[in-house]
Amino acid sequence: MHTRRTPPPCPPRPSPARPPAPPPCAPSSTPSSPHCTTAPTAATAPSPQADPTPSPPGLRTATHPVIPDHGTGPHDALRTLINALTEGAADPAHPLCAAHLHTPPLALAAAADLAASALNPSMDSWDQAPAASALEADITAALATEIYPHQPSPDALITTGGTEANQLALLLARERNGPVQTICAANAHHSITRAAWLLGLPAPVVIPAPTGVMDLAALDYALTELHRPLLVTATAGTTDTGQIDPLADIADLCTTHGAELHIDAAYGGPLLFSPTHRGKVHGLDRAHSVTLDLHKLGWQPAPAGILATPDRTHLDTLHHHAPYLNADDDTEAGLPDLLGRSLRTTRRPDALKIAVTLKALGRTGLADLIDHTIAAAHHLADLIAKTPTLDLYDRPTISTVLFRPTDADDNTVATIRRTLLTRGHAVLGRAHTDNRLWLKATLLNPHTTPDNLRTLLDLVNQLANDLAEGNTPR
């Protein structure tokens, strides 16, 4: 196999993964562009029908021996391993694959990601990525401005996702203030606790979230009683229910008590692009830092995370010197210094797929995808509410819907989920809230139809009936 040394041409326009179709719940409108379709897969089910094993049999056969004495050649290796991986994969583009914040990537973004892999710029020094570094600077500044529209010089870093972004947020707060005491609600992402541990900070003070969002009275009490410096971490789009903390009220309390505020908007942040839904994240611009993931409600291949700050100087503390990458005389001569753009050294040019998507879809196209996805979640909630054999936890805030068979115990709910998974019929998540276990549907496919949703509920109801009659799934 030969490595191509000349720059490849621009990636060809990707063909849609499926014919453009009217989005669900909005029959009079059409997708903004064929690029809105998700990347194609060969799977015909949301997941393979198999018992959980460390290595699926087909994959084990395809990979053995993992390091052969003599290679099989590029065509055989690609065909064998990609087919085996596809056959054993959960398919996020399938409408019944709805367990996690696991998005079906846009075909357009996947094509851009392939070009990034072929060009292979490394984002740790300008001489390895002259064009990619300039593109990243433009994209991060533009995304930061979406979050902080009234600040003169906001900026953002590209991360591998919410976990890294939250870790960076706590690191920046520590460097500004010393060993900060973090305060979060019981609904916060687990990465907040891990970041505090990793950075040698006190364990977060966890306050209650009895209705699924941060309790303001409990926050006021904690801010009054705890010693400073304090960092409150709020959530815009919780993992379990998709709910959004009262951001503006939390910001008011932080201002009153002299605390800093970080908002983990990995899930809910992209609502900023939707005129219909951006009001749900009002107050985002008052945070000292904001996490946002575009591999969730941005339909990017992972990773595509962001940490934004209202002032680019807030990132200065990340500056690091390595003479072979950012020698002083090179920096003085005008070569951009990239080491302070991440805690990582070698980095992929993840800005490319984001830039291509934003240019192709624009604000209206991205808003279209967001609005149709949320509309599908509300349609699912409507169907559940009209089904006497199912209980709905609450109306969705974003695109997460919790439900369970009426009168089922938690063991039955867990069994239904596992059975759907191992039979390859549907991939649902689970969430424990309100002292009960719920099935969780996290809808991220804008092509999901009402028929798909009815099929999902029929599968759940049938399994619940079987279990009630004493038929134990195998």
Side-chain angles (χ1 to χ4, degrees), residues 64 80 103 169 271 331 422 425 427:
H64 183 77
T80 302
T103 194
L271 297 180
T331 303
T422 56
H425 291 169
V427 186

Side-chain angles (χ1 to χ4, degrees), residues 72-159:
T72 62
H75 298 294
D76 176 79
L78 283 168
R79 181 179 62 252
T80 302
L81 289 173
I82 290 176
N83 284 345
L85 186 66
T86 301
E87 290 169 4
D91 180 10
H94 194 287
L96 300 190
C97 187
H100 304 286
L101 291 165
H102 181 199
T103 194
L106 295 170
L108 175 79
D113 214 24
L114 177 61
S117 293
L119 292 168
N120 203 32
S122 183
M123 305 298 295
D124 48 319
S125 67
W126 182 84
D127 57 354
Q128 300 177 88
S133 60
L135 178 64
E136 180 179 275
D138 288 345
I139 286 295
T140 51
L143 290 171
T145 300
E146 293 295 316
I147 296 169
Y148 298 106
H150 307 299
Q151 297 297 328
S153 58
D155 202 358
L157 304 175
I158 291 183
T159 72

Side-chain angles (χ1 to χ4, degrees), residues 163 167 170 174 191-201 343:
T163 295
Q167 178 189 328
L170 268 64
R174 186 192 71 180
S191 60
I192 300 298
T193 299
R194 293 184 75 186
W197 163 75
L198 186 64
L199 295 168
L201 297 173
L343 293 181

Side-chain angles (χ1 to χ4, degrees), residues 195-292:
W197 163 75
L198 186 64
L199 295 168
L201 297 173
V205 171
V206 180
I207 61 175
T211 63
V213 297
M214 184 179 287
D215 184 277
L216 293 173
L219 176 61
D220 188 23
Y221 178 81
L223 289 171
T224 301
E225 296 297 317
L226 293 171
H227 295 294
R228 287 155 182 71
L230 301 173
L231 174 69
V232 176
T233 63
T235 307
T238 61
T239 304
D240 277 351
T241 65
Q243 290 172 275
I244 297 174
D245 286 335
L247 305 180
D249 293 334
I250 292 169
D252 287 343
L253 286 173
C254 289
T255 299
T256 298
H257 291 278
E260 291 196 354
L261 172 62
H262 168 65
I263 299 177
D264 178 0
Y267 181 12
L271 297 180
L272 284 170
F273 289 101
S274 167
T276 303
H277 297 286
R278 69 164 59 109
K280 295 177 180 178
V281 290
H282 174 67
L284 207 61
D285 61 334
R286 297 179 61 186
H288 291 77
S289 54
V290 173
T291 290
L292 183 151

Side-chain angles (χ1 to χ4, degrees), residues 28-56:
S28 62
S29 61
T30 56
S32 304
S33 159
H35 299 298
C36 294
T37 55
T38 50
T41 66
T44 58
S47 68
Q49 181 179 351
D51 292 327
T53 59
S55 177

